Amino acid sequence: MRHALAMVLIASASAGAQQSLPGYTAADAARERALEASATARPSPSSAAAHSKALSREAHVSGTPAQARTRDYVVDQMKKWGLATEVRTYDVWMPHATSVHVARVSPRPKELSLAEPAVVGDPTSSLAQYPTVNGYSGQGDVTADVVYVNYGLIEDYAQLDSMGVSVKGKVAIARYGRSYRGIKAREAEKHGAVGLLIYSDPQDDGYVAGDVYPEGPMRNSAGVQRGSILNPDGDPSTPGYGSTGGVPRLSPGQMEISHIPVVPISYGNATELLKYVRGAGVPRSWQGGLPFHYHVGPGPVRARVAVKDDRATKGLKPIYDTFGVIRGSEFPDELVIIGGHRDGWGPGTADNVSGTVSVLEAARAIAEEVKAGARPKRTIIFATWDAEEWGLLGSTEFVEDDSLRLGRDAVAYLNQDVAAQGPRFSGGGSPSLRATLRDAARSVADPDGKGSVYAEWRKASAVADTVEPPMGDPGGGSDFAGFYNHLGIPIAEWGFGGPGGVYHSQYDDYAWMTKFGDPGFRYHAAAARIGAAMLLRIANADVLPYDYAEYAKTMRQYLGPIDRAVAQRHWNAPTTALSAAIDRLEREGAAFNAARDSMLHEAPSIATLQRTNRALLQVERALIRPEGLRTRPWFRNLIYVADENNGYANMALPSVNEAIRANEETLTRTEIADLAARFDRAAQDVADARAALTSGR
Ligand SMILES: [Zn+2]
């Protein structure tokens, strides 16, 4: 995973939602509650622990034989439970490192030992590990003076400029955090660095934050955060289309990839370089947690960074997505999908064996209900994705390959990335599904609390009684991106977090999980229970339970900042029409919710329900633009996107906000008008859904 959550507060819905279920007749609601109670009791900590142990017994980096073994494990389990299974193979350009070196050349030459050493009491720490390298690093062998660039953000290079320090021709060293590492690599190269080292500062997830592994859960002095530096989503050799047999491909020279060697290192190794950097002292906020004063350089310490990979001989590698399918009884063409990535940078017990286990246990629970006679009305698909860690490759190639069917028929995509590594619940996704997610969290007991997951979540968020706990916005950074950013399919995600410093390290393993993350695997089971509840709730609804009143309320919060930015610049770019369209969406959403609640007493015909649901599926599709964002055509969704200057931070209403950032008044005005027209279309789709529902009377 490579994302962080941004938070939005929304007014609390009134109580009393416990009895009726949005989208269900009274009789169906009682049956559904009973079914969910039965299904959510089925995921078990002991079977979650067994899956976790099996899937994290070895490092399973995409493209390796070990990763083919996790494919077989997942497919075998799903077959055993009676699911129809499918494996889709894509050939993607994904070079693997063959040699990586970092050395201090002066003072006192020293080759740095990059691998993560074995730890006592942790059996998988002594097994073969993937080299400590950033995925999609450029190849090269460079030696130069070192410059410390703080987090390597755009503003950090501006600060260096003001100090008269340049990275041109130098090896930059940046700390992890505050931005996606792909942005750090892009900016270092853009500013002329010949190589980049990215290290985990102890202030971030090491000894400043807590005791280090194996004594505590945080990163020790030899722990390394591997990870991709690819910026576009999906196989960079097939942008916008699936990497299926025989398709045309870009050559490496045409791809949007790094051209300089980029290597992640531990803070133990970073010390061997940073300790000797001189030049100006750092601004106060640039000081990290190592026990000496940091300097920016350049030099006098010189470093060598060398990376070689297998692109000349086998850059293309097969990746494998797996699917388990339960065909729906009444609306088989409508798809409810849950997925998690199956690849890791090491044993990956948290990232993302835990998500894979959540998908597996939800599949087992629902498969057992099907055997007991309760087939869902819609088709449910349980997916595990390959090569997420390299840049969302498996899910992106699937979405691009099957975009017509998904664009037409996918009702929701639920993502599980790091489902359990601690006790703290968080969730997020499209505002249309947040009410459903809150209700699923209400229906599952918190493993450590006296109440529900929802009750503990509310307590931990410490929000007033009148507002709901904050949810994250789907900017990007995990496998929902293809579904959400590219196709406009409603998505939701959730998981349980906690303190940890083994992200993308060989130490993200079963020993760490059983000692620190989720010792009893009860949070793994709880994540799967929420998954089972979400899947059944959406799959069995007569009328899809989207909430477009909450959606519109959430959107309205983004208008204030736009108005202020426009006013500051004295532009003529009013948001009046956009605001009116969002108001209309809220009115139509509320009217639809009311019609849905009252119509369902009358048991509408299947044809009526199909027409209603077809109209509902159009609503969020209306908020995507086929030609995409001006700067990034693959990103079609105009509601949320990852900030192109950060990669982790989210940007809401990006077509408008990017125009403001580009300081273009006319463009801002036309983007506001464009977005207003799309919100108007979305409101009309909700009105059409209500007309379809009430005309069936
Ligand atoms: Zn992940």
Side-chain angles (χ1 to χ4, degrees):
M1 86 144 185
R2 53 173 228 216
H3 74 282
L5 296 177
M7 299 304 188
V8 165
L9 296 174
I10 192 81
S12 178
S14 59
Q18 294 293 354
Q19 300 311 313
S20 67
L21 282 185
Y24 287 79
T25 64
D28 281 357
R31 203 176 309 133
E32 175 68 15
R33 287 279 185 207
L35 173 65
E36 288 179 21
S38 168
T40 56
R42 294 183 187 274
S44 86
S46 63
S47 93
H51 296 314
S52 176
K53 190 163 195 182
L55 286 166
S56 64
R57 56 190 282 263
E58 56 188 343
H60 47 278
V61 172
S62 183
T64 65
Q67 175 61 349
R69 289 192 278 275
T70 68
R71 168 200 65 200
D72 296 342
Y73 179 86
V74 165
V75 169
D76 287 351
Q77 295 294 316
M78 290 196 181
K79 275 195 177 132
K80 199 172 78 186
W81 303 328
L83 274 71
T85 61
E86 188 186 337
V87 173
R88 289 207 194 177
T89 306
Y90 298 102
D91 290 313
V92 298
W93 191 80
M94 185 171 64
H96 278 190
T98 51
S99 84
V100 183
H101 292 277
V102 178
R104 186 176 68 212
V105 175
S106 73
R108 289 190 289 119
K110 180 178 184 182
E111 176 81 20
L112 302 182
S113 169
L114 302 179
E116 302 180 276
V119 161
V120 179
D122 178 343
T124 55
S125 70
S126 60
L127 300 181
Q129 55 185 266
Y130 191 76
T132 55
V133 67
N134 289 112
Y136 292 102
S137 165
Q139 295 194 98
D141 187 340
V142 301
T143 298
D145 283 355
V146 172
V147 176
Y148 173 63
V149 299
N150 195 25
Y151 293 104
L153 309 174
I154 291 173
E155 54 266 37
D156 292 334
Y157 287 99
Q159 170 72 33
L160 284 172
D161 270 353
S162 75
M163 298 168 76
V165 176
S166 164
V167 296
K168 204 166 169 49
K170 307 288 192 275
V171 167
I173 179 166
R175 47 177 167 163
Y176 270 118
R178 306 277 173 93
S179 69
Y180 169 56
R181 61 185 89 72
I183 306 290
K184 296 179 196 287
R186 185 190 75 193
E187 293 304 314
E189 181 174 330
K190 195 188 278 179
H191 288 86
V194 294
L196 172 66
L197 298 169
I198 314 178
Y199 80 102
S200 301
D201 196 282
Q203 196 176 62
D204 183 35
D205 61 0
Y207 58 74
V208 178
D211 287 328
V212 303
Y213 193 66
E215 196 194 336
M218 305 312 292
R219 198 176 299 273
N220 63 37
S221 65
V224 177
Q225 181 193 138
R226 294 165 187 77
S228 179
I229 56 168
L230 185 67
N231 284 312
D233 289 346
D235 180 353
S237 77
T238 63
Y241 54 96
S243 294
T244 52
V247 295
R249 288 178 190 272
L250 302 184
S251 68
Q254 299 169 305
M255 296 179 204
E256 193 185 333
I257 50 173
S258 176
H259 303 96
I260 61 173
V262 182
V263 178
I265 59 174
S266 65
Y267 57 82
N269 281 331
T271 301
E272 297 292 339
L273 300 171
L274 287 175
K275 209 164 54 176
Y276 302 96
V277 175
R278 286 295 173 267
V282 293
R284 185 191 302 243
S285 65
W286 286 35
Q287 175 70 36
L290 291 170
F292 49 81
H293 187 63
Y294 293 24
H295 295 74
V296 296
V301 59
R302 290 173 68 74
R304 174 184 175 221
V305 182
V307 174
K308 271 203 202 100
D309 64 35
D310 62 5
R311 72 183 66 189
T313 53
K314 44 181 179 184
L316 284 185
K317 294 180 178 63
I319 61 169
Y320 309 100
D321 294 338
T322 75
F323 303 90
V325 181
I326 295 174
R327 193 171 160 78
S329 58
E330 271 180 38
F331 313 112
D333 290 343
E334 294 181 12
L335 311 174
V336 187
I337 307 163
I338 188 169
H341 71 87
R342 211 180 62 251
D343 67 316
W345 286 112
T349 312
D351 187 8
N352 184 35
V353 167
S354 69
T356 306
V357 169
S358 174
V359 171
L360 279 173
E361 281 293 280
R364 183 172 67 80
I366 295 178
E368 286 174 5
E369 296 301 336
V370 172
K371 274 191 194 148
R375 181 168 290 277
K377 291 181 180 174
R378 292 183 178 79
T379 293
I380 299 180
I381 299 177
F382 301 90
T384 74
W385 313 114
D386 202 348
E388 187 269 358
E389 292 294 2
W390 291 76
L392 321 182
L393 271 60
S395 58
T396 301
E397 297 314 310
F398 168 70
V399 164
E400 291 175 346
D401 182 27
D402 219 346
S403 60
L404 292 179
R405 181 175 68 133
L406 294 168
R408 190 185 58 220
D409 297 329
V411 167
Y413 172 71
L414 312 178
N415 196 53
Q416 288 289 272
D417 193 354
V418 191
Q421 60 168 354
R424 268 201 75 158
F425 180 81
S426 66
S430 172
S432 57
L433 284 175
R434 290 178 187 180
T436 307
L437 180 55
R438 286 193 294 266
D439 203 52
R442 274 188 203 100
S443 70
V444 172
D446 185 85
D448 267 339
K450 292 194 179 70
S452 64
V453 168
Y454 176 85
E456 289 300 306
W457 176 30
R458 167 172 276 292
K459 228 188 275 172
S461 329
V463 290
D465 285 351
T466 51
V467 295
E468 294 290 0
M471 293 246 198
D473 304 328
S478 189
D479 292 305
F480 62 77
F483 295 90
Y484 188 77
N485 299 112
H486 193 53
L487 297 183
I489 295 161
I491 70 114
E493 55 174 344
W494 63 90
F496 294 90
V502 294
Y503 174 59
H504 290 180
S505 151
Q506 180 74 13
Y507 308 134
D508 176 3
D509 62 15
Y510 194 75
W512 183 90
M513 185 63 78
T514 51
K515 209 168 163 193
F516 301 111
D518 184 14
F521 288 86
R522 295 173 305 149
Y523 289 93
H524 282 69
R529 290 178 172 139
I530 293 170
M534 286 290 287
L535 289 166
L536 290 171
R537 185 73 59 86
I538 298 169
N540 287 329
D542 292 316
V543 178
L544 291 166
Y546 305 131
D547 187 340
Y548 286 110
E550 175 165 353
Y551 193 101
K553 280 191 190 118
T554 309
M555 295 301 117
R556 188 172 300 114
Q557 304 172 46
Y558 306 132
L559 294 183
I562 293 174
D563 287 334
R564 283 194 291 279
V566 165
Q568 268 167 17
R569 291 164 175 77
H570 308 290
W571 286 356
N572 174 25
T575 56
T576 324
L578 179 56
S579 178
I582 289 172
D583 286 350
R584 184 181 171 210
L585 179 62
E586 183 177 354
R587 276 197 313 277
E588 291 296 349
F592 179 82
N593 291 351
R596 175 170 60 192
D597 294 347
S598 67
M599 277 307 297
L600 286 168
H601 296 300
E602 304 168 25
S605 70
I606 289 209
T608 296
L609 295 174
Q610 274 172 330
R611 276 199 304 277
T612 306
N613 290 326
R614 280 288 137 193
L616 285 175
L617 283 187
Q618 300 311 309
V619 181
E620 280 172 80
R621 268 74 162 182
L623 298 167
I624 64 174
R625 177 160 71 187
E627 64 271 35
L629 290 176
R630 198 169 49 101
T631 53
R632 292 176 284 173
W634 188 84
F635 292 85
R636 298 174 176 172
N637 196 319
L638 302 184
I639 303 307
Y640 297 111
V641 77
D643 187 325
E644 64 178 335
N645 288 341
N646 182 283
Y648 282 159
N650 290 325
M651 186 183 258
L653 309 186
S655 57
V656 174
N657 279 309
E658 287 185 351
I660 292 172
R661 185 190 275 177
N663 219 15
E664 295 192 40
E665 178 179 5
T666 308
L667 181 66
T668 301
R669 195 160 53 233
T670 55
E671 289 288 20
I672 289 172
D674 175 88
L675 192 58
R678 291 176 199 280
F679 268 107
D680 224 43
R681 179 66 247 175
Q684 184 58 46
D685 289 325
V686 179
D688 290 350
R690 181 159 56 99
L693 186 61
T694 52
S695 71
R697 194 185 294 264

